[in-house]
Amino acid sequence: MSARALSFGMVAKRYERYRPGYPVELVDLVSTYAGRPIRTALEIGAGTGKATRLFTAREVTVTATEPDGAMLAELRQHVPADVRTVPAAFEDLRPGAARYDLVYVAAALHWTRPAGRWSRMAALLEPGGVFASFGGPVQLTDPAVADAVRAVRAPFRDSDEIPSPDGTPPEEAMQWPGTELRRSEWFTDVQQSVIERRLTMSARDYVGYLSTVSAYLELPSEAQGRLFRQIEQILPETVELSADIVVHLARRRTER
């Protein structure tokens, strides 16, 4: 796992404070797709447990895996005591006797290694079980404000977003990981949905959110502080944000 993927532990409390959670519509979407009760779930890269809480609230028994100890410690402060936690990266998980009705990943699948990704994922699922991946960028909706932030950021970073891992252009109807799932021999019935979401944040909270984004965490601390001060100075008092959640769903083939 890359150093960038493991950069969040240093800001675990900020991650919990400033990262948006997930709406209940997400659980409804996954449950409807499953078409049968989801009793057990395995979460890959659980972070501070924002998605964990969503599923446990629906009485799903969740095992949350996370390779960063600081993130896992923060998660334990916010989830029910019966949530089992495993300090491991996806690649270190070994399928055992237990298989799950659902395996899901919240804004973390791009940190996993491509080689063997889908055979490993399928091995964690019951035949007919559901895989779900969801997430999406948080973007300024005002073009003038977005342009001003890009201009300030330019000397430090060309972009703060992570490009599609398989090179799928953003204008394509089916986005990654749906593109990979469609090619996988292990999964079928691949679906992509979008849950539209608009948020309002104070300028300070938006900068707080940026301070949890890996592109900025890689900067030296002095450069981070200087950039965040410059961004906050050019922002209006509050900012409007687009935070749509792109959801990919697929079913483990029963004949494998």
Side-chain angles (χ1 to χ4, degrees), residues 113-154:
R113 287 200 299 266
R117 178 188 284 138
W118 301 116
S119 59
R120 187 177 294 114
M121 202 73 75
L124 297 165
L125 279 164
E126 292 282 0
V130 173
F131 169 75
S133 174
F134 44 89
V138 175
Q139 299 175 320
L140 294 159
T141 58
D142 186 320
V145 175
D147 286 345
V149 170
R150 275 193 290 271
V152 169
R153 188 187 64 219

Side-chain angles (χ1 to χ4, degrees), residues 40 42 63 84 94-101 103 122-126:
T40 61
L42 178 70
T63 297
R84 179 174 175 249
R94 294 293 177 264
R99 289 189 177 184
Y100 300 87
D101 299 323
V103 174
L124 297 165
L125 279 164
E126 292 282 0

Side-chain angles (χ1 to χ4, degrees), residues 45-83:
T48 64
K50 290 180 180 291
T52 320
R53 284 162 261 177
L54 195 67
F55 285 92
T56 57
R58 294 292 183 89
E59 299 184 350
V60 178
T61 300
V62 176
T63 297
T65 70
E66 167 59 48
D68 191 298
M71 295 289 273
L72 208 54
E74 185 70 21
L75 174 146
R76 292 191 186 104
Q77 297 180 41
H78 302 285
V79 303
D82 61 353
V83 170

Side-chain angles (χ1 to χ4, degrees), residues 116-122 131 177-190 250-253 255-256:
R117 178 188 284 138
W118 301 116
S119 59
R120 187 177 294 114
M121 202 73 75
F131 169 75
T179 46
E180 283 188 10
L181 283 162
R182 280 184 169 177
R183 296 191 294 266
S184 171
E185 62 181 317
W186 295 96
F187 289 90
T188 187
D189 192 19
V190 179
R251 200 177 310 277
R252 187 193 189 280
R253 292 185 183 274
E255 64 268 24
R256 293 290 308 190

